[in-house]
Amino acid sequence: MSVALPGRAIPGERAAAVSSIRVVDALLLTTVFAITFAKVRWTVGGADVNISDVTAGLFLVAFVLSRVDRRDAGLPRASWTLLVFFALFVSVYLAGFFNLGTIEDRDLFVKGIVKFVIHFLFLVAAVAHLSRRGPQFYWRTLGWFTAGIVVNCAYGVLQLVAAQGGRNLDETVLSAIGSYQRGGINVYGAVGEANVYRINALTLDPNHLGIMLVVPLLILLPIYLRLERGHRLRAPLALTLAFLAVVELATLSRSGLLGLLVGFLVLAVPYRHFFLSKRFMLPLGLVVAIVAIVVAQRSGFFETVLRARTSVGGGSTRVHFDIYQLLPPVIGQHPLLGLGLNTFSSYYEFVTGKSNWGPHSYYLALLTETGIIGTALFLGYLGYLFRRLGALRRLGRAMAVSGDALAARVRPLGWGLTAALAGTLAANAFYLTMQMYYFFALAMFIVAAPAVFRRRVVNGRL
């Protein structure tokens, strides 16, 4: 008969605890891997439930059960701070409920707040889990997130090849899992008798994909630039960066390119001397070579497309600017709390007669749907994210001063995350992706990183 000593787990209990942690690990990795697969969704009770809703929900359940089983109620300070923000956001959204005027508004509000609750609680739990699991699991999670986006982009390339042959890859693949809901690759227009395709892969819009790609490109670039000569990841990262950049161009997303430009300006502060190095020129040269080969085959076609996408007088450009004209009337009616969460499309239909239109700007959505109070709260949340980034960069400097080799990873990570956040903020001026799951994954990496790598300092390993 075995007797458990106070404060110690018997072998069976220890094995069960390890097993439950591995389940939580697997569900977190699965969630970040599939977090951009928006087309993989099913209609349940009149609402769209995508694969990330399912995996994030399972992760939350597993996380809670694991903590209950181990009688562990501890959360890092960062998770408690996020819970405070969560409570404040929900309070503002619920207060805005009283501005809703129709049943349609209420239905949209419920869908919006349910998604938000799942997203933000996932963020809280994921930060707590990453903080406990340490640096190795953090890098592993970032790797799975990147791998998911690479797979998404690879699907997009196959989607483009299929479209050139007159086939709809989405219909073929997604119908097999009951997830196809019409549509396919985006058709931007036509030049002569040839369609102009914009890759959207498993996202819902080519602009979504273009803006999402800002995150891995800007996070991975400084890490790649700081890898030691002969490091086993140098070639894979160079190829990954080149591939993601080519897909970025294939989306024809001006918002995505704007985000990349802003991110590069941020990275130019600490890494400008790398931008003329062979290390940077290698992936850039691959991109230029691929683009040159493709363009050379149909130069007139691509010249017409380039002219259309760089024009500032087109109809799509006017929509992005004209829609801001709807802001003053809304602010005049509901200045403090806005129209109500997720209800802009209902208001837009009332004003213009066009249904199911988003605000084409995260900031317009923020102001019209949550008012001045909601916007001020979100700015406070952004301030917190930038504070965490500042803490991570300072931690990297401290590690470098102390001679820790890991500083060559932590400092580039800090700058990469900073550039990714700045680029995403810029890209969302004329589109809105910051309400999607991938942005909560970006916030997860930002908030968790200082706690993850500070443990290395606290444990006396500097």
Side-chain angles (χ1 to χ4, degrees):
M1 175 178 171
S2 62
V3 179
L5 296 176
R8 295 186 180 180
I10 61 175
E13 291 175 337
R14 190 181 302 116
V18 170
S19 178
S20 68
I21 291 173
R22 287 177 177 170
V23 170
V24 179
D25 285 353
L27 287 170
L28 178 56
L29 295 177
T30 302
T31 300
V32 298
F33 179 83
I35 211 158
T36 60
F37 297 179
K39 284 183 184 174
V40 183
R41 54 181 178 159
W42 302 268
T43 301
V44 179
D48 281 340
V49 177
N50 65 41
I51 189 170
S52 295
D53 294 322
V54 176
T55 56
L58 292 174
F59 165 75
L60 283 170
V61 171
F63 174 83
V64 171
L65 291 178
S66 175
R67 290 299 188 93
V68 170
D69 184 57
R70 290 180 286 135
R71 299 177 179 84
D72 181 2
L75 290 176
R77 180 180 297 178
S79 288
W80 284 114
T81 302
L82 288 172
L83 279 174
V84 171
F85 275 112
F86 172 73
L88 292 173
F89 277 120
V90 170
S91 298
V92 171
Y93 297 157
L94 291 177
F97 177 82
F98 296 101
N99 289 336
L100 304 180
T102 67
I103 294 176
E104 181 184 5
D105 288 344
R106 295 186 185 98
D107 289 342
L108 290 169
F109 174 87
V110 170
K111 291 177 183 178
I113 199 165
V114 168
K115 290 279 189 180
F116 172 80
V117 167
I118 296 173
H119 288 31
F120 215 98
L121 289 181
F122 164 79
L123 171 61
V124 172
V127 167
H129 191 67
L130 284 176
S131 299
R132 289 279 185 88
R133 298 291 283 123
Q136 185 176 359
F137 186 74
Y138 181 95
W139 293 120
R140 188 180 173 194
T141 306
L142 182 59
W144 276 72
F145 172 75
T146 303
I149 294 180
V150 170
V151 168
N152 200 347
C153 290
Y155 177 90
V157 173
L158 295 176
Q159 181 189 50
L160 179 60
V161 172
Q164 297 286 354
R167 298 187 302 275
N168 185 340
L169 186 64
D170 286 3
E171 185 174 9
T172 301
V173 173
L174 299 179
S175 292
I177 57 175
S179 185
Y180 181 64
Q181 298 184 16
R182 300 191 308 276
I185 193 170
N186 179 270
V187 181
Y188 175 62
V191 177
E193 296 182 356
N195 285 333
V196 179
Y197 296 108
R198 299 177 62 192
I199 290 177
N200 54 26
L202 289 170
T203 68
L204 299 178
D205 188 280
N207 290 294
H208 294 176
L209 180 60
I211 298 172
M212 289 175 184
L213 284 172
V214 167
V215 173
L217 281 167
L218 293 175
I219 293 177
L220 295 180
L221 178 59
I223 295 174
Y224 161 75
L225 292 175
R226 288 295 306 276
L227 289 178
E228 301 81 8
R229 183 183 299 275
H231 194 284
R232 63 185 179 85
L233 289 179
R234 278 188 66 179
L237 278 182
L239 292 173
T240 298
L241 287 166
F243 175 64
L244 294 181
V246 169
V247 175
E248 175 72 80
L249 294 175
T251 66
L252 299 178
S253 173
R254 292 172 293 192
S255 293
L257 292 178
L258 172 63
L260 277 182
L261 175 61
V262 171
F264 280 136
L265 291 176
V266 172
L267 292 179
V269 175
Y271 295 104
R272 58 189 178 277
H273 56 289
F274 280 102
F275 286 175
L276 295 177
S277 68
K278 292 181 180 179
R279 191 172 301 188
F280 179 75
M281 290 299 173
L282 175 60
L284 180 61
L286 287 174
V287 173
V288 171
I290 293 171
V291 171
I293 291 171
V294 173
V295 171
Q297 297 175 357
R298 302 170 68 183
S299 58
F301 175 88
F302 286 104
E303 182 182 349
T304 302
V305 174
L306 180 63
R307 247 194 335 263
R309 291 307 290 167
T310 54
S311 170
V312 296
S316 63
T317 303
R318 286 196 301 272
V319 168
H320 284 287
F321 283 100
D322 290 349
I323 204 165
Y324 274 94
Q325 296 176 9
L326 298 178
L327 179 59
V330 175
I331 292 297
Q333 295 172 23
H334 304 290
L336 296 181
L337 297 170
L339 296 167
L341 182 67
N342 197 40
T343 60
F344 181 89
S345 61
S346 176
Y347 173 77
Y348 190 84
E349 182 177 6
F350 173 76
V351 173
T352 67
K354 297 179 181 180
S355 61
N356 196 31
W357 269 63
H360 287 257
S361 165
Y362 182 79
Y363 308 110
L364 181 61
L366 190 65
L367 283 163
T368 57
E369 294 181 357
T370 67
I372 296 172
I373 294 177
T375 302
L377 177 58
F378 183 77
L379 291 176
Y381 174 61
L382 281 181
Y384 174 68
L385 294 183
F386 278 110
R387 281 187 58 195
R388 297 295 287 180
L389 289 168
L392 179 61
R393 295 195 301 272
R394 288 193 298 272
L395 182 61
R397 287 196 297 271
M399 296 171 77
V401 169
S402 300
D404 190 334
L406 190 59
R409 304 289 179 268
V410 175
R411 294 184 73 184
L413 174 67
W415 279 107
L417 288 170
T418 302
L421 181 57
T424 301
L425 290 173
N428 273 261
F430 299 107
Y431 236 87
L432 66 165
T433 65
M434 286 163 56
Q435 61 188 9
M436 300 176 186
Y437 260 130
Y438 91 100
F439 184 73
F440 288 81
L442 173 59
M444 172 192 73
F445 288 120
I446 290 172
V447 176
V452 168
F453 295 105
R454 189 177 291 118
R455 289 182 60 191
R456 184 178 175 95
V457 179
V458 172
N459 292 336
R461 295 174 63 187
L462 269 182

